[in-house]
Amino acid sequence: MRPQFQLMVQDAAEHKFQLVIVHKLDRFGWDVLDTFDYISRLADQNVKVVSAIENFDDSPEGSLFQTISIALNAYYSHNLGREVLKGQMENAKAGKTTGGLPPLGFRINPENFMYEINEDEALCIQKIFDLFLEGYGYKRIIETLNRDGYKTRAGKPFTINSLYAILRNEKYHGCIVFNKVVKRGRHKKRNNHSYKPENEILRIENGCPRIVSDEDFAATQLKMNARQQPTGHARYKETYLLTSKIFCGHCQAAYVGSRRMRTDGTFWPYYTCSCRSNSKGARCKGKEIGRNYLESEILEYISEYVFNDENVTVLKKAYDQFLIENKENNVALSEKKKKRKRLSEKIDR
């Protein structure tokens, strides 16, 4: 993200200088949109960008040459990146490092740049996989490792993230994986959990020495996949019609939906007072009520006392009146939607 560059942009907004001198424009930015964006932002603050070895005057021809130069710089930068990627691909296919620190348990041979097992660190890796397959939870494994004095590659105590990365790292069963993570976008941080399509990922089986057997690594992945928590939408498929519509008779707080697992593995959905589990004060003693029982009672009451012949006529008149009163609003909303659609089509064109 070039923190010093961002500091310069911030100083420009505070009018601390009037001129930015660069050796060449390719030192100012490697992306066409970024370069024009920052030059424009600096110009808004009356700050001019000047190249020491490129002469771009204020004439139309100077602006044209500047634009061509920025585009050529971006091409050379992107082409260099493509060539570097090709070289890294060849190194990965040969079992060589593609840069960066090797994962815990490995070291790089300085002569051929191949992965080698670091015997002392490999003991830590084997212990992690053994403990996990024995049924230890993440927190218990971390406590064991930190208690025994093991450290991460960065020399820090283990955490959930560092442990998870080790258990998922395919190098530990001899497979080198390259070109897996999506390149960060403009003005965005790199997301190490955002992956490319499988057909773009390079996997080299037996590309490096094994620390863990294929069987243990496969069993670990199956176990981790089974442990993964589903999303909130998948976990709570039940619908609670009366959440925040019924209130506690003891403390007047709203009742909310929840559920509890039974001994047979099924779930019991129920309503409970929102203050029943309050940890910041006295817990309410309002009882839990089964969802199915309560909702069936409420729906039966509505069916018996609300949707009778007399009340249905009243409800229909009220609804018709509501439609009449909101007709103008609906027409205006429809026109706004059509206008927005036309604007979107113009923007796309």
Side-chain angles (χ1 to χ4, degrees):
M1 298 298 289
R2 305 171 70 187
Q4 295 300 318
F5 186 92
Q6 298 301 326
L7 180 61
M8 177 199 71
V9 175
Q10 181 179 341
D11 289 344
E14 298 174 3
H15 306 290
K16 292 185 178 181
F17 53 86
Q18 292 79 41
L19 193 66
V20 174
I21 301 177
V22 295
H23 173 69
K24 194 179 177 183
L25 274 181
D26 61 0
R27 299 295 89 201
F28 185 82
W30 302 284
D31 181 88
V32 174
L33 295 178
D34 276 346
T35 302
F36 281 120
D37 179 38
Y38 283 117
I39 289 177
S40 176
R41 288 167 62 178
L42 291 173
D44 290 341
Q45 306 299 330
N46 296 319
V47 176
K48 187 175 181 180
V49 178
V50 176
S51 172
I53 64 172
E54 298 164 316
N55 183 21
F56 303 121
D57 55 34
D58 295 331
S59 66
E61 293 77 12
S63 298
L64 174 63
F65 292 146
Q66 184 187 55
T67 302
I68 294 173
S69 177
I70 292 173
L72 286 174
N73 292 339
Y75 166 75
Y76 289 133
S77 176
H78 294 159
N79 186 58
L80 178 61
R82 182 170 56 186
E83 295 302 317
V84 169
L85 180 61
K86 285 169 59 178
Q88 290 177 324
M89 285 280 196
E90 293 304 316
N91 284 342
K93 291 177 181 178
K96 297 181 180 180
T97 178
T98 55
L101 291 174
L104 191 70
F106 289 102
R107 59 170 171 255
I108 303 299
N109 187 312
E111 295 181 358
N112 57 18
F113 303 102
M114 305 284 283
Y115 288 96
E116 295 179 348
I117 293 179
N118 183 321
E119 298 297 341
D120 293 335
E121 295 177 354
L123 293 175
C124 175
I125 300 301
Q126 291 170 344
K127 185 170 186 175
I128 289 173
F129 279 88
D130 289 343
L131 291 175
F132 184 79
L133 291 176
E134 288 174 13
Y136 280 53
Y138 295 141
K139 292 183 179 179
R140 191 177 174 191
I141 295 175
I142 290 170
E143 291 172 358
T144 303
L145 295 173
N146 293 336
R147 182 193 62 213
D148 293 345
Y150 290 107
K151 299 292 184 182
T152 65
R153 167 60 69 212
K156 297 180 180 180
F158 280 89
T159 63
I160 290 287
N161 289 337
S162 56
L163 182 65
Y164 186 89
I166 287 174
L167 292 171
R168 287 294 195 190
N169 195 328
E170 297 185 47
K171 283 190 177 74
Y172 292 125
H173 78 117
C175 180
I176 292 179
V177 181
F178 182 71
N179 200 38
K180 182 177 182 179
V181 178
V182 174
K183 183 180 178 182
R184 74 176 181 88
R186 296 177 67 238
H187 312 305
K188 293 182 180 180
K189 294 182 178 180
R190 180 185 177 94
N191 182 359
N192 290 325
H193 300 290
S194 179
Y195 303 136
K196 294 182 178 180
E198 194 63 31
N199 62 341
E200 296 183 23
I201 300 174
L202 178 65
R203 280 189 167 83
I204 310 299
E205 300 291 343
N206 303 315
C208 62
R210 281 179 173 80
I211 296 179
V212 178
S213 69
D214 290 341
E215 294 76 13
D216 285 352
F217 189 83
T220 298
Q221 305 315 301
L222 288 173
K223 196 168 184 178
M224 291 182 73
N225 292 339
R227 281 190 176 188
Q228 281 185 336
Q229 293 289 336
T231 62
H233 177 72
R235 281 202 307 268
Y236 300 106
K237 293 183 178 180
E238 291 88 357
T239 300
Y240 297 90
L241 301 175
L242 303 176
T243 291
S244 299
K245 295 181 176 67
I246 53 177
F247 301 90
C248 178
H250 293 276
C251 67
Q252 308 305 315
Y255 260 59
V256 295
S258 186
R259 70 176 188 170
R260 183 184 301 120
M261 181 179 285
R262 298 187 179 98
T263 55
D264 60 358
T266 60
F267 287 96
W268 176 61
Y270 62 93
Y271 287 96
T272 181
C273 176
S274 56
C275 290
R276 185 176 174 84
S277 60
N278 186 7
S279 60
K280 296 183 178 180
R283 297 175 60 180
C284 178
K285 297 181 180 180
K287 292 184 177 181
E288 298 170 348
I289 308 174
R291 182 202 63 180
N292 297 339
Y293 164 75
L294 183 60
E295 290 184 356
S296 63
E297 289 291 320
I298 296 296
L299 290 174
E300 185 177 347
Y301 175 86
I302 292 175
S303 176
E304 183 177 351
Y305 293 97
V306 177
F307 294 118
N308 55 50
D309 294 340
E310 182 180 348
N311 286 337
V312 165
T313 303
V314 175
L315 289 173
K316 182 181 182 302
K317 289 182 179 179
Y319 182 66
D320 291 341
Q321 183 64 30
F322 171 81
L323 292 178
I324 294 172
E325 293 175 354
N326 287 273
K327 184 177 180 180
E328 294 181 1
N329 292 336
N330 292 334
V331 171
L333 180 61
S334 177
E335 289 299 323
K336 288 181 179 180
K337 288 182 178 179
K338 291 180 181 178
K339 184 177 180 181
R340 188 174 74 170
K341 183 179 179 181
R342 289 195 296 269
L343 289 174
S344 297
E345 292 173 350
K346 288 183 178 180
I347 291 171
D348 290 340
R349 289 198 296 272

